[in-house]
Amino acid sequence: MAVVGSNVLMTRTPDAHFLVEGRHAGAKVVVFSPDFSQVSKIADEWVPIHQGQDAAFWMAVGHVILREFYIEKQTAYFESYIKKYSDMPFLVELDHTKKESLKPGKFLRASQLDSTSKIENADWKMFVIDQDSGELAIPYGSVGHRWQKTKGEWNLKQEDSLTGKKISPVLNLDKATNISTKLVDVEFHDFSDFEDNARLSRKVQVFEIMTKDGPRLVTTAFELMLAQYGVSREQGGDYPQNYDDPSLPYTPAWQEKFTGVSADTVIKFAREWAASAISSNGKCSVIIGAGANHWYHNNLIYRAIITPLILCGCVGVSGGGLNHYVGQEKLAPQASWGPIAFGLDWGGPPRLQNAPSFHYVHSDQWRYDTNFTDICAVADESHSMANGHTVDKQAIAVRSGWLPCYPQFNQSNIQIVEDAKSEGAKSDDEIIQSVVKKLKDRKLKFSVEDPNNPESYPRVWYIWRGNAILASAKGHEYFLKHYLGTHNNAISEEMAGDLVKEVTWHDKVETGKMDLIVDLNYRMDSSALYSDIVLPAATYYEKHDLNTTDMHTFIHPLQPAVPPCWESKSDWDIFKGIALHTSELSKKYFEAPIKELVISPLMHDTPAEIAQPSVKDWLKGECEAVPGKTMPIMKVIDRDYANLHNRFTSLGPIVRQNGLSVHGTHYDVDDLYDEYMKSNATKTWNGKTYPAMEEALQACEIILHFAAETNGELAYRAFQAESHKTGIDHTHLAEKNRSVRMTFNDLKAQPRRVLTTPYWTGITNDERTYSSYCQNVEEEIPWRTLTGRQHLYLDHETYRAFGEHLPTYKPRLTMHTARDLEKSSKDSGSLILNYLTPHGKWHIHSTFGDTLRMKTLSRGIEPVWLNDKDADLIGVNDNDWVEVFNDHGVVCTRACVSARIPRGLAFIYHSPERTVSVPKSKERGYKRAGGHNSLTRARLKPLFMIGGYAQFSYAFNYWGPQGVNRDTFVVVKPLDQVEY
Amino acid sequence: MDIRAQVSMVFHLDKCIGCHTCSVACKNVWTDRPGAEYMWWNNVETKPGTGFPTLWEDQSHYKGGWELKGRDGNKKLELKSQNKIDSFVKLFYNPNQPGLEDYYEPWTYNYANLFEAEAGDDQPTAIPVSLITGEPMNIEAGPNWDDDLSGSTFYAENDINLEELSDEEREQLFEIERISMMYLPRICNHCANPSCVASCPSGALYKRGEDGIVLINQDVCRGWRACISACPYKKIYYNWKTGKSEKCILCYPKLETGQIPNCFQSCVGRIRYLGVLLYDADRAAESMKVPDKALVESQRTAFCDPFDPEIIKMAKANGISDEFIKAAQLSPIYKYVMKWKIALPLHIEYRTMPMLFYVPPLLPVMGKMANGIYTNALDNFFTSLDKSRLPMKYLARLFSAGNEDIIEYVMKKLMAVRYYKRTLDMQDIDLVMMNKMMREGGTTPEEAEEIYRLTAVPTIDQRFVIPEIQREESIESTCNPEICKGSCGIGVIQPPTRGL
């Protein structure tokens, strides 16, 4: 068990005992953490790795495993696993570089060969070579098979989908029969040095294939992996000689300078890792968390770590795999919760967005940002997504249908329809065509293209439960400035003016964009304090609700022990009240239902995820502007605001008509809908009767009745649907539980374990412990990716332009590149430190940390943790007051001086409120100091903006750039006099 | 022999995650009231550290517990805090008692300012105010001030248990090579030779006959506070509002109704075990009259085998019920303390015969730094004992009155269990090596399996074996059970009166 960037003992309080107990059952625990964290206490080995450098360590682990367990010696279990469950045997084309050399290209597609170009979805089906025949084969299970008309071919059977013959794919080309291979120079990138990223030329074994466009060189993704990891079979090129070679990636000696951990430690770890995987058939696992996640290059850290897991056959094995301990917000009974939460029972699409993009754009943080290539090395700057300003990439992403944006246009979605109609559009289709034309003619724009246009920016903000203004607001002070137009401590300069091309720049902008902020909350947290209206909400012990997460296989009831205190109400009643008043007001403003045009991105798990085999921009004339193909999906929908309350309190007919689905797997519920009405409360309006959702408890019952996780019949139907897609019968997984029905009263008696469904990839039948992807491995259900396998090679052209098509290492931001301290004073007597905000003890983000009990059990304040020797340098003693600041803002707090914190780091645990014991800042003119997010800013990596391409397609809470905050630098200096 | 039954406890420190849920579960129920703000009947300390109240282990200052006096053949135990003459003099003067500065000044915040502050151009804030004076205050201490090695070079370095370490070893403890920490949850030890009981001038403290819980009779306590000084663990607190002293009552109202005490039930790390130990009261004080390093083993000689027919006979003769004897036989405490000998008392050199036992933690292996590059000094598969981050010497100071052999025996056994389980599942440990570990740990496959099960996968009923109380017998002494049955059963209620 490796624990990376996750302080399980402190932040996973309820489950921590399992980790400790696993150790007594014979598991070895290795903890990777820059500080001696709480979880380090239970480690066999604590590896004090430098913060944010985990990728370097794990790339070297991959190097050792590939060399010793694939090349020097072959491991049957590992090989058979990656042949079947990873993309390693798939064929990749080699493209010519500008020089003499070749570089890795796209997976070879069926569309490129004469013999296969006519098959359905030929752009989305890929090849392997069969070991015995030496012939090309297209295995089942690619995203092309998923969305083709003929169902039943989306599976992981080791068979050629063209002939149905059994195949055994080749990994190493030197093992292939009947093909003649040769060695060619292929270009790889070494990003170790940000200032000078090197191109390496490494010989790779390839062979030639005749395509429609002439002969092309291809190789397996596995051959490219070996070359990328620097594992040579004496074939020549810039390969490291041995483990001790520090100059070339990714040897154990190479990683020392980044991680501060010795090569010997890497080698010993890698050998024990692989050996344990061999003797247990893959029971090695990694718990990974926010400590490794919130870095700019978090994807590379994660990929470096999951690669050894895949190479050792650990993913989809009980007791193995990557356990990602970030986020608990994915709830289990999604299919029935979704319609209620997003109003899908009455229409749609819902308006959802990834918050980091929204806030980066609208809190105007982009204005203080430069070109992203100043912090991110790329392989090919000539690609349209691999250069320029981040906000420009966001604009491209929106118009290409990759990411959502709100507001959507610089005109009202209702007005657009009105205008189109007045100009003669009659049908929905004509309305859409008229809007497309206006967008092309630039008479209409997406709001993101001009974020400071008063027509474009958001005005009203409802905050529900999140501490959106502070705890999750990376760049909090910019929120204060640009959303609220109030006091703030940011002093950074705007830098985007000369850089942006796709969005409009205004030299002067209005601050205080929000006219109204409403906060629905049970705590007077920082966000509530800064809101115009606070709607006091019931706590967990004052209302009916359900509680599930994706990391825990039980469903729990919340029940009122007491009625809501004072004037507070349950969330359900508050929203119901808002719906009621909206309906009443609507009678005045909207006499009849109205139409609006809503855009939504090309969604994952829908046929739209195979919309864009290549990146083309309709605005630049590179392709036609086609909604749902080259631009967002457009839909004209009816809004019946007068009946909003009626709809809110009734389960709508669309559920009955269309059934429910998650991840593109659908089940019918019409009979259950009718059955439900027979024995439960109903509501009749406008002459029709629906299941009632007047009360929170009724909504809970509906969720339980219609979800596959809590209704065995629906789990069975969902597996029937899944079986139809894969051509393999999976219903045995639901057979035993088919008669299970969970009601709220059942949960009251005892929390229940959720049923095994195709929506969650583990198998929990027969009291098995949940481990993700066990269904994929045991049932041969494809991963929802391009090849249907786990991808180590990512062939999207943007990934290749970023040089991230293969697992790689890119350095952290430096103080110089991060530009957090351009204007802040850095006098002697102050320290410059890397600033981290790990998850804290007794807080769930900001909740509970500020209760008097918890403040009493800590320091009465959320302190900044400093290393003792660092503190000595500036004469700071334990419990002294300090100022922590950078260009984004300032925090005034006390120092907690501890030798368990490494030098060069400052911690403020995530996250304090700015309500209790906050002094004024001497550094910023005696204005009130802020909270931990006063020191951060949002930095988006444009790589995560791409879309319409298999797994790189938008899904709420799954895909889109994240608001990372670890690459931050601060100045710390003593605060002699405290003023409140 | 005078056989008694004690509801006794084991805390498995290897499993403690330092979450302090136990402290909160106790605080919320028992000490969340004026006069008790600073009391933490249950607290959790980070070790190395100075604890709560600060440096409580420093008996040269606090003078808690017993001192062994006299010559061979005539050894006797005397209270460190007072002799017979002292006890009169010190009635009015208690120089060894911790003061507010050794605990902390409880505080709150003026939250109202967030709403009531006058309009201005900056945000208001809620500053800390004293719960005692109501005045603004500067927070400089708390009940968990050095949690997670906070202020480590200021607090942890002054842990008196580090005294016997060489300067080099002490320095290393605060460097990357050796830095380490463990958690030490503490409640009243419900000692079998309690110095607090012996010290009380009013006779208010007593050790309950049926289960050995040490209690303060609030009707008798007159607030002399001799117990506060005499308790070496500083687990008795003075309530400034009622003028009486208070302490952990092991949630006896819950125990009596078959429920689990709060701090045990709420334990998230599942480190806590509770069960009956039979002991010979004649041996309780006697067993504490041996040299420091012999104390752990001497204490064990006072414990009795609940399966021995002779013991059962004597226990019954002493009025111990069949239910208690059965509980003693199923007791997880008996297994940890007597059968496997891997749970040890805390600071037995205080000679109070504490009845709470700790399984010491396994800690990560130490490392080496060379030119800024770190390497783990690991020769074995799992962490090793001789290269453990916390020296055995330190653990011995806490749990075996300095006897390192005892600590080593425990640690070897714990390691042997891990190697055994690993080998069973994975067959990837060299068998010669495994057998050597088992031999050194003095264990067998059967025992290792048993230890594993009670450590890692016990049910709640295996962790907490609560003896059933025969209510009719306790009622009988004050009233006729038949009559009592018809009454509301609240018992005698007397408002406490101020002691002085």
Side-chain angles (χ1 to χ4, degrees):
Chain A
M1 166 68 74
V3 181
V4 183
S6 182
N7 195 355
V8 180
L9 262 55
M10 184 150 102
T11 61
R12 302 288 311 179
T13 313
D15 318 330
H17 70 94
F18 290 121
L19 175 58
V20 183
E21 288 157 356
R23 204 163 70 111
H24 287 271
K28 175 171 180 170
V29 177
V30 183
V31 170
F32 297 82
S33 171
D35 61 320
F36 192 87
S37 61
Q38 289 70 10
V39 69
S40 308
K41 158 192 177 277
I42 61 125
D44 286 292
E45 291 179 56
W46 167 52
V47 180
I49 190 165
H50 292 167
Q51 72 275 15
Q53 299 286 34
D54 304 83
F57 184 97
W58 288 85
M59 286 303 289
V61 170
H63 177 93
V64 173
I65 289 171
L66 282 169
R67 174 178 295 281
E68 297 189 15
F69 297 87
Y70 278 92
I71 299 305
E72 288 174 359
K73 183 184 82 181
Q74 281 81 46
T75 310
Y77 173 67
F78 294 174
E79 284 193 351
S80 68
Y81 180 94
I82 67 165
K83 278 181 185 177
K84 183 163 180 184
Y85 301 116
S86 86
D87 64 340
M88 285 290 93
F90 283 83
L91 295 182
V92 178
E93 288 181 84
L94 293 160
D95 293 343
H96 284 281
T97 64
K98 284 168 198 149
K99 296 171 196 156
E100 290 295 278
S101 166
L102 293 157
K103 61 181 182 182
K106 294 183 87 155
F107 283 113
L108 183 73
R109 309 299 171 111
S111 55
Q112 289 173 271
L113 266 58
D114 269 332
S115 55
T116 52
S117 65
K118 296 286 183 305
I119 65 176
E120 194 184 352
N121 293 339
D123 265 343
W124 301 95
K125 290 178 180 170
M126 282 71 53
F127 295 97
V128 299
I129 316 178
D130 179 38
Q131 176 77 57
D132 299 329
S133 62
E135 277 169 15
L136 293 185
I138 297 178
Y140 292 118
S142 74
V143 72
H145 293 105
R146 185 178 183 190
W147 299 113
Q148 70 189 15
K149 285 185 203 79
T150 319
K151 295 299 174 192
E153 294 195 349
W154 188 57
N155 59 51
L156 294 180
K157 288 179 189 167
Q158 295 284 65
E159 289 167 18
D160 181 5
S161 63
L162 300 172
T163 62
K165 272 195 230 153
K166 286 245 175 288
I167 50 170
S168 171
V170 169
L171 289 171
N172 307 18
L173 285 183
D174 50 8
K175 302 261 178 61
T177 44
N178 299 335
I179 54 168
S180 63
T181 63
K182 62 177 177 181
L183 286 169
V184 296
D185 289 317
V186 178
E187 186 181 280
F188 294 88
H189 293 264
D190 174 8
F191 298 107
S192 312
D193 182 355
F194 181 75
E195 299 299 329
D196 179 25
N197 66 67
R199 283 160 205 267
L200 305 173
S201 178
R202 287 173 173 173
K203 293 255 189 247
V204 174
Q205 200 140 207
V206 299
F207 67 99
E208 202 173 86
I209 274 182
M210 186 54 72
T211 71
K212 289 198 305 188
D213 306 317
R216 294 295 304 259
L217 293 176
V218 296
T219 187
T220 62
F222 184 70
E223 287 282 351
L224 292 171
M225 274 288 281
L226 289 175
Q228 169 76 359
Y229 273 83
V231 177
S232 135
R233 283 151 295 168
E234 312 290 319
Q235 70 259 55
D238 303 329
Y239 283 96
Q241 291 308 301
N242 51 44
Y243 289 168
D244 301 330
D245 185 343
S247 64
L248 288 168
Y250 295 97
T251 65
W254 164 88
Q255 61 80 48
E256 284 189 348
K257 56 186 168 290
F258 305 108
T259 62
V261 180
S262 71
D264 287 349
T265 303
V266 173
I267 296 166
K268 187 171 190 297
F269 176 83
R271 286 175 183 160
E272 284 183 356
W273 184 263
S276 294
I278 293 170
S279 46
S280 65
N281 273 351
K283 290 186 192 296
C284 291
S285 79
V286 177
I287 291 176
I288 191 165
N293 184 273
H294 297 347
W295 295 89
Y296 190 77
H297 293 303
N298 54 8
N299 62 321
L300 297 178
I301 297 174
Y302 268 53
R303 283 171 72 191
I305 295 175
I306 202 167
T307 299
L309 282 165
I310 295 171
L311 290 176
C312 295
C314 303
V315 179
V317 172
S318 282
L322 189 82
N323 302 290
H324 164 73
Y325 277 23
V326 181
Q328 285 268 313
E329 59 287 306
K330 296 177 183 66
L331 73 183
Q334 235 175 17
S336 59
W337 169 84
I340 297 175
F342 307 137
L344 300 172
D345 54 337
W346 290 100
R351 295 165 162 240
L352 302 168
Q353 178 171 10
N354 61 320
S357 291
F358 180 89
H359 292 303
Y360 178 76
V361 171
H362 292 302
S363 71
D364 283 342
Q365 293 190 55
W366 63 274
R367 294 177 64 88
Y368 306 87
D369 205 359
T370 60
N371 286 348
F372 70 88
T373 41
D374 292 350
I375 54 172
C376 178
V378 298
D380 178 7
E381 272 207 53
S382 68
H383 189 273
S384 61
M385 282 301 286
N387 68 70
H389 196 284
T390 305
V391 80
D392 283 345
K393 306 302 113 169
Q394 179 70 35
I396 293 175
V398 169
R399 71 171 176 250
S400 303
W402 302 340
L403 290 180
C405 87
Y406 297 93
Q408 298 196 321
F409 302 106
N410 58 355
Q411 286 172 32
S412 137
N413 297 51
I414 299 168
Q415 192 60 44
I416 289 173
V417 176
E418 292 298 316
D419 289 353
K421 278 195 201 157
S422 66
E423 288 154 22
K426 291 194 179 62
S427 64
D428 288 356
D429 206 36
E430 283 172 14
I431 293 169
I432 289 169
Q433 283 318 312
S434 135
V435 168
V436 170
K437 185 163 186 314
K438 280 184 194 165
L439 282 167
K440 278 171 76 178
D441 298 344
R442 305 273 77 194
K443 285 180 187 146
L444 181 68
K445 282 186 167 184
F446 297 102
S447 64
V448 65
E449 296 179 288
D450 188 0
N452 293 113
N453 175 0
E455 298 286 322
S456 296
Y457 57 67
R459 302 286 189 153
V460 180
W461 191 9
Y462 275 76
I463 301 171
W464 179 29
R465 285 300 178 82
N467 193 348
I469 297 179
L470 177 61
S472 45
K474 278 110 186 176
H476 162 66
E477 300 282 337
Y478 301 99
F479 281 50
L480 295 185
K481 183 174 181 181
H482 291 277
Y483 283 158
L484 280 79
T486 185
H487 60 86
N488 67 86
N489 288 316
I491 57 166
S492 53
E493 258 175 39
E494 297 188 329
M495 293 190 267
D498 298 331
L499 303 172
V500 290
K501 297 188 178 76
E502 310 289 345
V503 308
T504 310
W505 175 262
H506 304 268
D507 282 336
K508 277 197 102 66
V509 298
E510 292 288 320
T511 58
K513 290 178 173 176
M514 297 294 176
D515 296 336
L516 177 69
I517 301 182
V518 182
D519 188 285
L520 195 169
N521 208 328
Y522 65 82
R523 290 193 310 134
M524 189 53 104
D525 64 12
S526 304
S527 298
L529 267 189
Y530 277 84
S531 296
D532 298 294
I533 297 172
V534 180
L535 303 171
T539 66
Y540 303 112
Y541 307 105
E542 299 170 341
K543 60 167 185 173
H544 286 106
D545 210 336
L546 296 172
N547 194 337
T548 74
T549 87
D550 55 335
M551 302 194 56
H552 179 73
T553 50
F554 288 82
I555 182 159
H556 297 260
L558 302 184
Q559 303 160 73
V562 291
C565 283
W566 290 287
E567 291 181 294
S568 61
K569 297 205 178 311
S570 72
D571 312 54
W572 188 263
D573 283 344
I574 293 174
F575 281 118
K576 192 171 70 181
I578 293 171
L580 180 65
H581 286 275
T582 308
S583 292
E584 283 167 3
L585 288 170
S586 301
K587 285 171 194 150
K588 186 168 163 195
Y589 296 103
F590 299 111
E591 282 166 18
I594 44 145
K595 280 189 186 300
E596 67 170 332
L597 181 139
V598 175
I599 56 170
S600 41
L602 307 168
M603 298 292 289
H604 187 26
D605 295 324
T606 70
E609 70 176 4
I610 55 171
Q612 298 185 6
S614 56
V615 173
K616 291 207 166 67
D617 189 348
W618 55 264
L619 188 61
K620 300 204 172 91
E622 294 164 2
C623 59
E624 276 302 304
V626 184
K629 185 80 186 156
T630 62
M631 68 191 310
I633 295 165
M634 295 187 184
K635 198 175 170 196
V636 178
I637 55 171
D638 293 314
R639 295 284 187 209
D640 186 1
Y641 291 109
N643 277 312
L644 189 67
H645 176 254
N646 281 332
R647 287 178 165 195
F648 185 97
T649 50
S650 324
L651 182 69
I654 293 177
V655 167
R656 190 184 185 285
Q657 280 156 27
N658 296 356
L660 296 168
S661 78
V662 184
H663 305 329
T665 300
H666 167 275
Y667 55 80
D668 288 326
V669 297
D670 48 346
D671 51 340
L672 273 94
Y673 190 98
D674 299 341
E675 176 195 295
Y676 183 88
M677 291 220 282
K678 278 184 203 152
S679 50
N680 290 277
T682 57
K683 176 164 174 144
T684 305
W685 51 280
N686 279 2
K688 291 213 174 95
T689 303
Y690 310 96
M693 291 198 294
E694 294 281 356
E695 305 301 327
L697 186 58
Q698 292 166 342
C700 294
E701 291 290 10
I702 286 175
I703 289 171
L704 294 171
H705 189 79
F706 291 100
E709 287 76 13
T710 48
N711 182 331
E713 172 61 24
L714 297 181
Y716 189 86
R717 289 182 194 177
F719 274 118
Q720 278 180 323
E722 189 83 336
S723 305
H724 177 66
K725 287 154 65 180
T726 61
I728 298 169
D729 183 12
H730 309 295
T731 53
H732 66 98
L733 291 173
E735 195 81 64
K736 272 197 219 164
N737 293 326
R738 194 168 178 179
S739 62
V740 172
R741 303 284 183 279
M742 296 179 206
T743 65
F744 200 84
N745 275 338
D746 294 337
L747 304 189
K748 273 157 84 170
Q750 186 188 31
R752 298 295 164 109
R753 198 151 191 227
V754 296
L755 304 175
T756 301
T757 72
Y759 306 134
W760 299 94
T761 56
I763 299 172
T764 51
N765 292 339
D766 304 321
E767 302 199 353
R768 275 179 69 174
T769 306
Y770 186 92
S771 193
S772 44
Y773 307 118
C774 284
Q775 282 186 34
N776 304 84
V777 168
E778 293 170 31
E779 294 287 314
E780 302 185 319
I781 297 171
W783 276 262
R784 295 167 6 244
T785 61
L786 181 66
T787 60
R789 276 78 179 167
Q790 298 172 84
H791 269 268
L792 298 177
Y793 187 73
L794 303 174
D795 79 335
H796 190 282
E797 59 186 73
T798 307
Y799 268 85
R800 285 182 284 128
F802 271 66
E804 298 186 16
H805 42 301
L806 285 157
T808 187
Y809 166 82
K810 285 183 181 177
R812 297 173 304 198
L813 274 61
T814 62
M815 183 193 98
H816 181 65
T817 54
R819 294 209 196 191
D820 296 322
L821 303 173
E822 302 283 290
K823 297 191 69 195
S824 296
S825 61
K826 287 164 282 208
D827 10 327
S828 59
S830 64
L831 288 170
I832 294 175
L833 301 172
N834 180 197
Y835 170 69
L836 302 182
T837 54
H839 282 168
K841 203 170 194 170
W842 311 313
H843 335 154
I844 296 146
H845 300 270
S846 63
T847 309
F848 307 123
D850 61 341
T851 61
L852 183 56
R853 186 80 74 231
M854 293 318 171
K855 281 270 178 279
T856 300
L857 277 174
S858 54
R859 291 271 175 129
I861 197 167
E862 189 69 69
V864 57
W865 288 69
L866 302 174
N867 171 271
D868 52 330
K869 296 188 184 71
D870 280 352
D872 271 352
L873 287 179
I874 53 166
V876 164
N877 293 317
D878 187 53
N879 208 38
D880 281 355
W881 287 94
V882 291
E883 284 197 83
V884 186
F885 57 92
N886 60 19
D887 294 0
H888 314 305
V890 59
V891 171
C892 294
T893 186
R894 290 174 184 267
C896 200
V897 175
S898 179
R900 73 172 186 82
I901 305 293
R903 299 198 69 171
L905 272 186
F907 278 18
I908 294 181
Y909 283 104
H910 182 91
S911 73
E913 297 295 350
R914 46 180 304 155
T915 49
V916 161
S917 219
V918 182
K920 297 199 170 191
S921 160
K922 192 174 158 193
E923 191 61 34
R924 296 284 145 92
Y926 291 96
K927 273 192 284 184
R928 182 80 56 210
H932 76 296
N933 262 338
S934 293
L935 302 170
T936 60
R937 70 188 298 176
R939 295 180 204 274
L940 310 185
K941 189 166 174 179
L943 184 60
F944 311 133
M945 294 175 181
I946 58 175
Y949 193 91
Q951 71 267 32
F952 305 125
S953 302
Y954 181 74
F956 179 58
N957 229 347
Y958 280 85
W959 181 245
Q962 311 99 51
V964 294
N965 56 349
R966 302 257 181 265
D967 305 82
T968 302
F969 292 83
V970 293
V971 180
V972 179
K973 74 178 196 189
L975 178 65
D976 322 324
Q977 193 118 38
V978 173
E979 274 192 48
Y980 290 113
Chain B
M1 284 177 101
D2 178 8
I3 309 293
R4 305 277 178 92
Q6 165 104 28
V7 173
S8 182
M9 306 146 274
V10 163
F11 290 0
H12 200 309
L13 296 187
D14 195 59
K15 298 183 75 184
C16 184
I17 62 172
C19 66
H20 302 249
T21 308
C22 47
S23 304
V24 174
C26 174
K27 183 85 191 158
N28 285 354
V29 171
W30 298 119
T31 59
D32 192 14
R33 55 203 153 84
E37 300 93 340
Y38 80 105
M39 292 184 198
W40 292 85
W41 293 357
N42 182 110
N43 75 315
V44 183
E45 293 169 12
T46 300
K47 286 283 174 191
T50 49
F52 175 73
T54 308
L55 287 170
W56 63 270
E57 292 158 289
D58 185 359
Q59 304 309 345
S60 67
H61 174 64
Y62 286 121
K63 307 225 183 290
W66 299 95
E67 228 170 350
L68 186 60
K69 291 265 174 79
R71 283 184 302 275
D72 284 347
N74 189 26
K75 296 257 191 204
K76 42 181 192 179
L77 294 174
E78 285 180 10
L79 287 177
K80 231 176 169 175
S81 57
Q82 51 178 266
N83 56 35
K84 285 224 167 77
I85 303 160
D86 259 8
S87 61
F88 276 108
V89 180
K90 286 186 178 170
L91 266 184
F92 302 102
Y93 169 62
N94 238 323
N96 309 320
Q97 191 183 297
L100 191 66
E101 67 281 7
D102 299 303
Y103 297 107
Y104 68 103
E105 184 172 355
W107 70 85
T108 184
Y109 302 86
N110 65 342
Y111 296 107
N113 189 50
L114 293 170
F115 305 90
E116 292 162 5
E118 282 179 22
D121 62 356
D122 209 349
Q123 182 211 302
T125 191
I127 62 168
V129 289
S130 167
L131 273 175
I132 295 176
T133 65
E135 294 299 314
M137 68 172 274
N138 198 17
I139 300 167
E140 284 181 326
N144 185 30
W145 197 246
D146 59 350
D147 193 36
D148 298 331
L149 288 182
S150 52
S152 54
T153 44
F154 197 73
Y155 298 99
E157 220 165 71
N158 290 311
D159 182 331
I160 69 160
N161 304 295
L162 299 172
E163 265 168 6
E164 275 152 48
L165 268 58
S166 68
D167 286 351
E168 196 197 338
E169 278 175 316
R170 286 183 76 141
E171 216 163 277
Q172 271 187 331
L173 277 179
F174 303 100
E175 297 289 344
I176 209 165
E177 289 91 334
R178 265 211 115 131
I179 191 156
S180 189
M181 63 183 165
M182 55 180 267
Y183 301 108
L184 185 68
R186 300 205 301 122
I187 63 172
C188 170
N189 286 286
H190 296 283
C191 304
N193 184 31
S195 50
C196 56
V197 173
S199 74
C200 180
S202 310
L205 279 123
Y206 62 104
K207 188 168 177 67
R208 215 155 81 142
E210 62 267 40
D211 52 17
I213 297 176
V214 175
L215 295 169
I216 301 174
N217 185 332
Q218 294 287 299
D219 294 332
V220 179
C221 175
R222 300 186 51 81
W224 296 117
R225 287 169 262 177
C227 53
I228 295 174
S229 295
C231 172
Y233 299 97
K234 291 292 162 280
K235 278 292 168 190
I236 303 182
Y237 301 85
Y238 179 70
N239 182 320
W240 56 264
K241 189 94 189 278
T242 63
K244 306 200 182 247
S245 295
E246 299 182 10
K247 66 178 290 299
C248 158
I249 58 173
L250 203 59
C251 291
Y252 72 78
K254 295 190 81 183
L255 272 184
E256 286 173 3
T257 48
Q259 300 175 71
I260 304 159
N262 279 355
C263 58
F264 286 78
Q265 187 166 31
S266 65
C267 179
V268 178
R270 306 185 179 184
I271 80 163
R272 295 190 180 210
Y273 300 82
L274 185 125
V276 172
L277 264 188
L278 298 180
Y279 71 100
D280 176 6
D282 291 341
R283 292 275 311 135
E286 274 316 297
S287 69
M288 295 293 102
K289 292 180 183 173
V290 297
D292 281 1
K293 290 192 177 175
L295 277 166
V296 169
E297 280 171 349
S298 182
Q299 184 188 26
R300 289 180 191 147
T301 65
F303 299 140
C304 306
D305 178 355
F307 299 97
D308 181 338
E310 279 303 306
I311 298 288
I312 294 173
K313 208 165 116 191
M314 283 189 281
K316 284 190 175 179
N318 248 6
I320 296 174
S321 68
D322 285 353
E323 284 71 21
F324 265 77
I325 293 168
K326 192 176 163 201
Q329 291 171 339
L330 294 171
S331 169
I333 313 305
Y334 185 74
K335 288 182 182 133
Y336 272 114
V337 176
M338 292 301 288
K339 205 170 157 198
W340 307 328
K341 297 184 169 50
I342 54 175
L344 305 170
L346 176 66
H347 287 307
I348 192 150
E349 71 276 15
Y350 303 158
R351 293 169 198 273
T352 58
M353 190 154 160
M355 296 300 269
L356 158 59
F357 304 88
Y358 294 90
V359 181
L362 297 165
L363 290 159
V365 71
M366 53 196 275
K368 296 187 290 258
M369 280 298 269
N371 305 319
I373 301 296
Y374 177 92
T375 305
N376 269 322
L378 191 64
D379 323 312
N380 301 329
F381 184 72
F382 292 131
T383 183
S384 81
L385 302 183
D386 47 342
K387 287 179 185 155
S388 168
R389 285 180 164 259
L390 270 185
M392 292 296 129
K393 235 184 268 180
Y394 177 79
L395 294 174
R397 266 294 293 265
L398 289 171
F399 302 116
S400 58
N403 187 333
E404 285 179 51
D405 292 344
I406 288 178
I407 290 287
E408 205 165 297
Y409 173 83
V410 172
M411 299 304 238
K412 280 188 171 160
K413 188 171 276 195
L414 295 176
M415 288 303 296
V417 173
R418 295 185 65 200
Y419 277 103
Y420 169 75
K421 288 301 291 179
R422 174 95 191 175
T423 310
L424 212 61
D425 269 10
M426 306 269 288
Q427 295 90 37
D428 64 350
I429 302 285
D430 175 45
L431 275 185
V432 177
M433 150 99 169
M434 212 276 289
N435 289 328
K436 186 169 158 270
M437 302 294 293
M438 295 287 279
R439 227 172 23 249
E440 286 179 359
T443 193
T444 60
E446 295 74 26
E447 187 187 74
E449 185 64 30
E450 238 191 313
I451 293 176
Y452 158 73
R453 292 178 77 123
L454 197 58
T455 304
V457 288
T459 63
I460 197 159
D461 300 329
Q462 289 165 342
R463 281 190 283 140
F464 309 122
V465 181
I466 297 171
E468 290 162 22
I469 307 270
Q470 285 171 298
R471 300 290 301 156
E472 70 287 0
E473 286 184 7
S474 51
I475 292 164
E476 221 167 26
S477 62
T478 53
C479 80
N480 180 337
E482 285 300 321
I483 293 166
C484 187
K485 200 177 78 176
S487 67
C488 72
I490 289 171
V492 185
I493 296 175
Q494 261 181 18
T497 47
R498 196 173 167 84
L500 282 172

